[in-house]
Amino acid sequence: MRVFERPGPANTDETIEIVKKVASQYRYIVVASITGECAVRVAERIRNTAIVCVTCPQGMGWEVDHMHSGPFEDIPELQKVRDEWKERGLSRVPMQVTPENKQKLTMLNVPIIQGTIPFFGPSFSMRLHLQQVTSLDILAKTLELISTGTLVCLECVLMAVDSGVIPEQEPVLAVAGTERGLDTAWVISSCASANLFHPLKGGRFVELLAKPGLSYQPAMDIEYLR
């Protein structure tokens, strides 16, 4: 297992190389990719395994004026992205695959999965708008103790299975990161979200391939995201 010194996009290239070394053992690689960039990079460098891009639901976006704290303040590479947005006068940046990356992914035969995030849908709205913490929030924050990407890896596998792109009970390579880029890689036994806790065919974390040494813990209210 590779343990990175810190979280963030700086680990993207090495994470892809780690996954590439074992990719031939697996049928699927699920990539968390907001803009599609990381999915394109994985698909261009790994050709012997089916790649699945999982992105955000419609309507999500970064609120640039609220990025005064959190990962976009604390992680240098993310801070640079935020400052560039500010210089361009952007107040809100949609969390969506760009048209250019969508075209590239189509040419690379990479499906794009977009749907409700299992631990970040209605529960986020309840937390933000009703000030109510749910059991899903507790589960999500517990997984983030390992790394932010650990939570996202599981969510992306569940979303890919729910969409019908990958089967249940399949050992899947899953990669994700901290807001942008990649810094976490897992082998996960896949399942549908409705079967997550099934005693026999539920989801399982099989092997951790890479993670930041200390995970980044986003605030519960996440003011920079709406």
Side-chain angles (χ1 to χ4, degrees):
M1 181 184 72
R2 176 71 167 96
V3 178
F4 298 118
E5 291 185 6
R6 61 182 180 85
N11 305 305
T12 299
D13 286 334
E14 188 172 352
T15 301
I16 294 174
E17 285 303 308
I18 290 168
V19 171
K20 183 178 180 180
K21 289 178 181 178
V22 300
S24 62
Q25 303 173 38
Y26 302 93
R27 292 202 298 163
Y28 300 96
I29 301 174
V30 175
V31 184
S33 191
I34 296 173
T35 66
E37 179 183 349
C38 285
V40 169
R41 291 170 69 175
V42 171
E44 288 178 339
R45 290 162 67 173
I46 302 175
R47 298 295 184 127
N48 58 349
T49 306
I51 313 297
V52 178
C53 172
V54 179
T55 193
C56 297
Q58 181 174 309
M60 290 182 65
W62 288 291
E63 300 289 342
V64 181
D65 295 337
H66 292 275
M67 290 179 167
H68 46 76
S69 62
F72 283 90
E73 176 66 26
D74 301 333
I75 298 175
E77 294 80 15
L78 296 180
Q79 185 182 81
K80 181 179 178 181
V81 170
R82 179 204 61 186
D83 292 345
E84 288 175 352
W85 287 340
K86 285 186 174 182
E87 289 174 6
R88 292 166 57 190
L90 300 176
S91 60
R92 189 176 192 276
V93 177
M95 301 176 75
Q96 62 187 24
V97 177
T98 66
E100 295 81 8
N101 286 333
K102 186 175 293 187
Q103 183 177 20
K104 290 179 181 178
L105 291 169
T106 298
M107 294 177 64
L108 290 163
N109 295 316
V110 176
I112 300 172
I113 305 304
Q114 184 180 35
T116 301
I117 302 173
F119 306 137
F120 191 90
S123 64
F124 174 70
S125 184
M126 291 177 67
R127 187 170 75 243
L128 183 68
H129 302 120
L130 302 179
Q131 289 76 54
Q132 294 291 324
V133 174
T134 71
S135 57
L136 288 179
D137 295 315
I138 296 171
L139 176 56
K141 298 307 287 186
T142 300
L143 291 175
E144 284 182 342
L145 293 176
I146 302 171
S147 72
T148 303
T150 293
L151 166 63
V152 179
C153 280
L154 178 60
E155 290 177 321
C156 288
V157 171
L158 297 177
M159 291 170 69
V161 174
D162 285 350
S163 69
V165 172
I166 63 175
E168 290 194 277
Q169 295 182 282
E170 177 82 23
V172 173
L173 284 169
V175 285
T178 305
E179 291 293 342
R180 300 283 292 263
L182 304 171
D183 60 18
T184 301
W186 274 97
V187 178
I188 294 177
S189 181
S190 65
C191 73
S193 59
N195 286 329
L196 179 58
F197 297 108
H198 191 284
L200 298 179
K201 59 181 182 180
R204 297 291 186 272
F205 287 99
V206 179
E207 183 179 2
L208 179 56
L209 304 178
K211 70 175 289 289
L214 290 176
S215 68
Y216 191 92
Q217 287 285 300
M220 287 291 285
D221 53 2
I222 316 183
E223 292 184 356
Y224 59 86
L225 182 63
R226 293 292 183 271

